[in-house]
Amino acid sequence: MTGPGPGAAVPQVAVLGTGLMGGPMARNLARAGFPVTVWNRSPDKAAALGLTVAPTPADAVRGAGAVVVMLSSGPVCDAVLFGDAGIAVQLAPGCLLIVMSSIGRDEAQRMAEKAGALGLRWLDAPVSGGTPAAEAGSLSIMAGGTAEDVAAAAPLLAALGKVVHIGPAGTGALAKLVNQLTVASTIVAVAESLLLAEAGGADPARVREALMGGFAASRILDLHGARMIAGDFAPGGPAKYQLKDTRAARDVAAGLGLHLPVLELADGLFADLVTHGGGDLDHSALYLELKRQNGRLPADSPLKT
Amino acid sequence: MTGPGPGAAVPQVAVLGTGLMGGPMARNLARAGFPVTVWNRSPDKAAALGLTVAPTPADAVRGAGAVVVMLSSGPVCDAVLFGDAGIAVQLAPGCLLIVMSSIGRDEAQRMAEKAGALGLRWLDAPVSGGTPAAEAGSLSIMAGGTAEDVAAAAPLLAALGKVVHIGPAGTGALAKLVNQLTVASTIVAVAESLLLAEAGGADPARVREALMGGFAASRILDLHGARMIAGDFAPGGPAKYQLKDTRAARDVAAGLGLHLPVLELADGLFADLVTHGGGDLDHSALYLELKRQNGRLPADSPLKT
């Protein structure tokens, strides 16, 4: 079911961060019947949503039963929630704190502890699916926290997508890093595959079509493969954020003593892409970086040779 | 449309090689209305199909308008078709020679030339989708050859799956190698992802479920990810064949002067898996090899430590 439902107590929801993802998510919450107040560092983006805009995070969360956080990084979330002017102390006990940014597993665990100490309920609930899924309300939501708190958040999260309860606090964040490991390395695999097809004299568009019918089929081959073939690298998911996530995944792997060779390889290739001027291109521009490393970059490429 | 269709001239079809893939493919051709004669090196496998079994390839192709070849490797296909007792010289000009085994691009091009010199029509038309798709008649078929010959083969191929015409002779074989590059490296990506999830304290089954809802979704995560989680490594696609294909893809890449780092990495990991006793396990057993390399192999593992 989407929305608070008839007869249910409808909590006031604050959304902190209304960028490419948070904006459409706030709109979907409002559409589902939740009274939504938003705050964003750049007020212009928030104003364009047509929702109630608060001038500060503290104003946004006043009276909130749930706070959805979609800010740019773990440290930014931590500062806004628990820093010197952090709003967590201001929230009523029992308030649901739902951090949907992609953050580190350890960051999530530390924030969950701070939230618990204040009597707040906590979920780390990052998402996958990008802006199209944020707009369609069809995000894949990976929730870390107690089953009770996932159940309490379920009506709200249903307005945003499909939630899977991964495990205790921190495992939602971990699942998102795992997701990004899969995405990053599948992008590399698809980029290599299309380059081999092209260099070997096959039409990469036909190869993509054929591969989509078999075991090689993936959402990355479908969507990002189409971008690679079309040369359309407008973001979407900027390469610099993909790199941030492979870095975070590497940190978690290192902390666990794991050697994950594809993760390390993909991380290195995305770092190369960013170094050569591709940080603000879509992550599918890894195709260009691979061409660059093989001396096959087209003359009109946005990358530096 | 499936099958020869009413009123069309129905060619006699010979199927050479009735193993895990060729067997169900021959059955689907017969079901679609083609008169099928089969030959297999081990006659038992052929006899179990309930079709006309020939004692030799030469007997199988007598009067055939099309020959479907699904033997174990490029050299075996070449020997049976063009070797000392090869059957190609025996075929009527205009006969369709359709090699559906996974073979090298250069092998395909050389065989296409030999076929052309005999006045035969040629397609390299390898497949993806494995035995489930072979049985369901839903293979993805990657065809290299002329548009005319693809059109001539279309009614026959429609009984086996969906065909995409990739380009000239050799590009079907190339597309299959590209497919295997994607499959091999996606298996590595999924194996690393599930290992990171498990080592980090999340339930890998929940993580797989959540990832299937977003950009990380793939057929490999769906099917092979489920096998990794269940510990079910009965083949399916044996790791030793995956290694044969990554080797062939590496050879093509090397011939083109391409450096494809994920292909090289996946090839090395599948070689490690085979070295440690996993050659006859399903290719999803790369999950075990990755655990082995991280000192996390369960005691009852079929791999050598």
Side-chain angles (χ1 to χ4, degrees):
Chain A
M1 196 195 79
T2 297
V10 181
Q12 171 77 31
V13 178
V15 177
L16 307 182
T18 57
L20 284 173
M21 298 294 294
M25 289 163 70
R27 249 194 326 250
N28 282 332
L29 287 168
R31 270 191 206 127
F34 293 96
V36 173
T37 304
V38 301
W39 169 80
N40 195 59
R41 189 161 303 202
S42 323
D44 300 357
K45 283 188 190 169
L49 294 171
L51 302 172
T52 309
V53 181
T56 69
D59 292 311
V61 304
R62 196 158 293 131
V67 179
V68 170
V69 184
M70 198 54 164
L71 296 163
S72 59
S73 71
V76 172
C77 293
D78 195 41
V80 168
L81 295 174
F82 302 106
D84 288 344
I87 51 88
V89 292
Q90 187 190 322
L91 301 174
C95 177
L96 259 169
L97 200 48
I98 309 176
V99 173
M100 305 191 77
S101 310
S102 294
I103 63 177
R105 184 189 63 145
D106 297 353
E107 284 172 331
Q109 286 172 340
R110 282 194 299 270
M111 283 192 260
E113 279 167 28
K114 295 185 210 174
L118 294 169
L120 306 174
R121 294 189 283 178
W122 165 272
L123 294 181
D124 41 290
V127 300
S128 179
T131 49
E135 279 157 16
S138 64
L139 290 164
S140 179
I141 305 168
M142 295 155 256
T146 67
E148 204 183 340
D149 292 346
V150 171
L156 184 158
L157 295 176
L160 304 177
K162 180 173 176 288
V163 62
V164 177
H165 181 205
I166 306 292
T171 60
L174 174 68
K176 176 62 193 277
L177 292 180
V178 171
N179 183 82
Q180 294 306 82
L181 186 172
T182 308
V183 166
S185 40
T186 307
I187 283 178
V188 177
V190 166
E192 283 198 8
S193 297
L194 294 179
L195 182 56
L196 179 60
E198 191 184 322
D203 178 345
R206 298 273 180 93
V207 172
R208 172 181 160 279
E209 185 191 343
L211 266 56
M212 281 303 296
F215 281 144
S218 67
R219 201 144 167 206
I220 296 290
L221 177 62
D222 188 13
L223 302 177
H224 300 76
R227 281 169 165 269
M228 293 177 198
I229 291 165
D232 170 16
F233 301 115
K240 64 186 176 190
Y241 294 152
Q242 184 74 68
L243 179 60
K244 175 177 77 76
D245 290 342
T246 53
R247 279 287 132 96
R250 272 185 69 166
D251 290 347
V252 173
L256 295 165
L258 285 181
H259 170 57
L260 300 180
V262 164
L263 170 58
E264 283 155 34
L265 180 64
D267 178 73
L269 288 169
F270 277 104
D272 290 342
L273 171 58
V274 170
T275 301
H276 289 88
D280 290 317
L281 301 179
D282 189 71
H283 46 174
S284 55
L286 193 90
Y287 188 49
L288 294 180
E289 175 57 24
L290 201 66
K291 285 192 165 183
R292 194 194 64 74
Q293 296 192 6
N294 278 285
R296 290 172 174 263
L297 204 57
D300 61 347
S301 163
L303 290 197
K304 293 175 265 183
T305 50
Chain B
M1 197 194 77
T2 298
V10 180
Q12 171 77 29
V13 179
V15 177
L16 307 182
T18 57
L20 284 174
M21 298 295 292
M25 289 163 70
R27 249 195 326 253
N28 282 332
L29 287 168
R31 269 190 207 127
F34 293 96
V36 174
T37 304
V38 302
W39 169 80
N40 195 60
R41 189 161 303 203
S42 323
D44 300 359
K45 282 189 190 167
L49 293 170
L51 303 172
T52 307
V53 181
T56 68
D59 292 313
V61 303
R62 196 159 291 133
V67 179
V68 170
V69 184
M70 199 54 164
L71 296 165
S72 59
S73 72
V76 171
C77 294
D78 195 40
V80 168
L81 295 174
F82 302 106
D84 287 344
I87 52 88
V89 293
Q90 189 191 320
L91 301 173
C95 178
L96 260 169
L97 201 48
I98 310 175
V99 173
M100 305 190 76
S101 310
S102 295
I103 63 177
R105 185 190 62 146
D106 298 352
E107 284 172 330
Q109 286 173 340
R110 280 194 300 270
M111 283 193 262
E113 280 168 28
K114 294 185 211 177
L118 295 169
L120 306 174
R121 293 190 281 177
W122 166 272
L123 294 180
D124 42 287
V127 300
S128 179
T131 48
E135 279 157 15
S138 63
L139 290 162
S140 179
I141 304 168
M142 296 155 255
T146 67
E148 206 183 340
D149 292 346
V150 171
L156 185 158
L157 295 176
L160 304 176
K162 182 172 175 286
V163 61
V164 177
H165 182 205
I166 305 293
T171 59
L174 174 67
K176 176 63 194 276
L177 293 180
V178 171
N179 183 82
Q180 295 306 84
L181 187 172
T182 309
V183 167
S185 40
T186 308
I187 284 178
V188 177
V190 166
E192 282 197 9
S193 298
L194 295 179
L195 181 56
L196 179 60
E198 191 183 323
D203 177 346
R206 298 272 181 94
V207 172
R208 172 181 161 279
E209 184 191 345
L211 265 55
M212 280 303 297
F215 281 145
S218 67
R219 203 144 165 207
I220 296 290
L221 178 62
D222 188 12
L223 302 178
H224 300 76
R227 280 169 165 269
M228 293 177 198
I229 291 166
D232 170 16
F233 301 116
K240 63 185 175 189
Y241 294 153
Q242 184 74 69
L243 178 60
K244 175 178 79 75
D245 291 341
T246 54
R247 279 288 133 96
R250 271 184 70 166
D251 290 346
V252 172
L256 295 165
L258 285 181
H259 170 58
L260 301 180
V262 164
L263 170 58
E264 283 155 35
L265 179 63
D267 179 73
L269 288 169
F270 277 105
D272 290 342
L273 171 58
V274 170
T275 300
H276 289 87
D280 291 316
L281 300 179
D282 189 72
H283 46 174
S284 54
L286 194 90
Y287 188 50
L288 294 180
E289 175 57 25
L290 201 67
K291 284 192 167 181
R292 194 194 64 76
Q293 295 192 9
N294 279 285
R296 290 171 175 262
L297 203 56
D300 61 348
S301 163
L303 291 196
K304 293 174 267 185
T305 50

